[in-house]
Amino acid sequence: MLPIHQIPVPTPFPGLGPVYVYLVRQDPVTLIDAGLGLPDCRDALQAGLAAHGVGLRDVRRILLTHAHVDHFGLAAWIQEESGAEVWMHPDEQAKAEGAPWWRDCLVRTMEEAEVDAAVIAMAREFWRMERLVGGPVAAWQPLADGQRFPFEGGELEALHLPGHALGHTGFLDREARTLIGGDHLLEGVTPNPIMEPVLPGHPDAVPHDPARALTLAQFLRSLDRVAGLDLERVLPGHGPVITDHRSVVERYRTKHAHRLDAVLERLGAGRSPWELTREFYPRVQGFDQFLAFSEVMAHLDLLVVQGRARFDRLSGFSRYRAAV
């Protein structure tokens, strides 16, 4: 059983609370995730490490669950200070590096969905700010599903759990029946299946718009995988430790089944994704509007794949309609 310690690192995002970095205080000293690249986050991480008798330069390895900025923002700084290896799933590369094709795909999708120009501009600004608090690491290693990371006295196994992020990965201590789950399972909130651009030929591409991933189908498949694990606890990226992972999985499944039905009921002869987003989330502001839009798009795309809805691109704009 590995000694795994939870270190809270603050975030500036309303309602989210801290992100949890996990320290494995065993050779090689390893962090799972890194926190946001802000001064108070650096201070909190260093204080958390010191509380367990570890200095920043003792860190030899960083395993990233995904490349959302609250989870990977400090990775470059930690690597610079310690020389630590950084590992992440290769499907996170474009997001972590802010690849232009990745941002351009998101903007194109929003424009076709008739998202308000002000919301698109706000999203662009958010992505620009992300680069300031989470620059790309100088060197990183691609991890693979099933890869084992050995320690003195145990190991962690990488489990690819896409849906919230394309390369989202959990890290399983089978002996301790413990999953370090990132943002895949969170108590009290359902993680967004956030829109993810993909390169040509990706196996999980949306059939009717193959520049994007079929994120909700990925997420539901990952839920099935986690439900099949024998776990005593899930150590999440946010919120309380989960001791009944299957009940959380079942709540997520129920929530998404109901939302699929609700979206379908509103389609009729044809609706734009942004119309539906404003109906389902009328009070959402700021970057949360992009997250809400991602949520609606994920359900629309899965309805099309299920044969319950149809997708059309009319004069450059996307429309979804009920199949019957």
Side-chain angles (χ1 to χ4, degrees):
M1 181 180 297
L2 293 172
I4 302 174
H5 306 282
Q6 187 185 73
I7 299 174
V9 175
T11 72
F13 306 123
L16 184 62
V19 63
Y20 292 122
V21 174
Y22 290 95
L23 163 68
V24 181
R25 195 166 60 97
Q26 197 70 288
D27 189 37
V29 173
T30 297
L31 298 181
I32 294 86
D33 285 341
L36 197 66
L38 294 170
D40 58 338
C41 301
R42 295 184 184 188
D43 293 343
L45 178 60
Q46 289 184 297
L49 292 173
H52 296 289
V54 174
L56 194 66
R57 288 181 171 83
D58 297 324
V59 177
R60 307 272 30 98
R61 184 166 60 191
I62 304 168
L63 306 178
L64 295 174
T65 62
H66 60 301
H68 291 162
V69 68
D70 53 326
H71 291 262
F72 92 103
L74 282 175
W77 173 69
I78 298 168
Q79 186 180 63
E80 290 171 4
E81 294 293 318
S82 68
E85 297 178 345
V86 176
W87 293 79
M88 69 178 177
H89 194 284
D91 275 348
E92 293 298 278
Q93 180 178 3
K95 181 162 60 248
E97 297 178 353
W101 70 265
W102 186 87
R103 293 192 305 270
D104 291 348
C105 176
L106 294 176
V107 170
R108 175 189 65 79
T109 303
M110 288 191 285
E111 289 174 342
E112 290 183 353
E114 298 185 272
V115 174
D116 293 346
V119 174
I120 297 175
M122 175 274 307
R124 285 183 181 273
E125 177 64 11
F126 183 90
W127 295 324
R128 186 189 71 82
M129 293 297 295
E130 275 192 322
R131 311 315 311 150
L132 302 179
V133 296
V137 297
W140 59 275
Q141 304 295 321
L143 61 78
D145 183 54
Q147 184 171 347
R148 288 172 166 78
F149 292 90
F151 295 83
E152 182 180 329
E155 67 176 19
L156 290 175
E157 178 185 347
L159 300 182
H160 184 211
L161 302 171
H164 176 64
L166 194 64
H168 193 289
T169 302
F171 297 94
L172 176 64
D173 181 347
R174 288 191 182 271
E175 182 182 0
R177 298 168 57 214
T178 295
L179 176 67
I180 302 173
D183 285 355
H184 182 59
L185 294 185
L186 302 175
E187 188 65 73
V189 62
T190 305
N192 297 83
I194 298 177
M195 191 183 307
E196 287 273 6
V198 293
L199 291 171
H202 195 283
D204 283 334
V206 172
H208 51 275
D209 191 356
R212 297 184 286 108
L214 192 63
T215 54
L216 183 52
Q218 288 183 318
F219 185 69
L220 295 173
R221 187 173 70 234
S222 296
L223 289 180
D224 291 341
R225 185 176 190 185
V226 170
L229 297 175
D230 178 23
L231 297 176
E232 182 176 293
R233 60 178 182 163
V234 175
L235 302 178
H238 308 274
V241 172
I242 294 168
T243 56
D244 184 357
H245 66 293
R246 292 190 178 100
S247 70
V248 177
V249 167
E250 192 54 39
R251 287 202 300 273
Y252 286 4
R253 285 174 175 155
T254 300
K255 180 257 187 183
H256 284 299
H258 289 164
R259 179 51 54 91
L260 285 165
D261 290 343
V263 170
L264 181 61
E265 287 176 3
R266 298 193 184 204
L267 286 184
R271 306 290 300 282
S272 80
W274 186 240
E275 278 185 287
L276 292 166
T277 301
R278 300 312 299 158
E279 287 184 13
F280 280 104
Y281 302 100
R283 291 182 292 277
V284 167
Q285 298 295 321
F287 190 72
D288 285 348
Q289 293 174 95
F290 173 75
L291 300 180
F293 173 65
S294 290
E295 180 94 4
V296 170
M297 287 291 293
H299 288 81
L300 287 168
D301 287 337
L302 187 54
L303 285 169
V304 173
V305 170
Q306 292 175 340
R308 303 166 70 191
R310 297 285 183 265
F311 170 79
D312 301 301
R313 188 176 278 117
L314 304 173
S315 302
F317 297 106
S318 56
R319 292 288 185 275
Y320 292 78
R321 56 187 170 86
V324 291

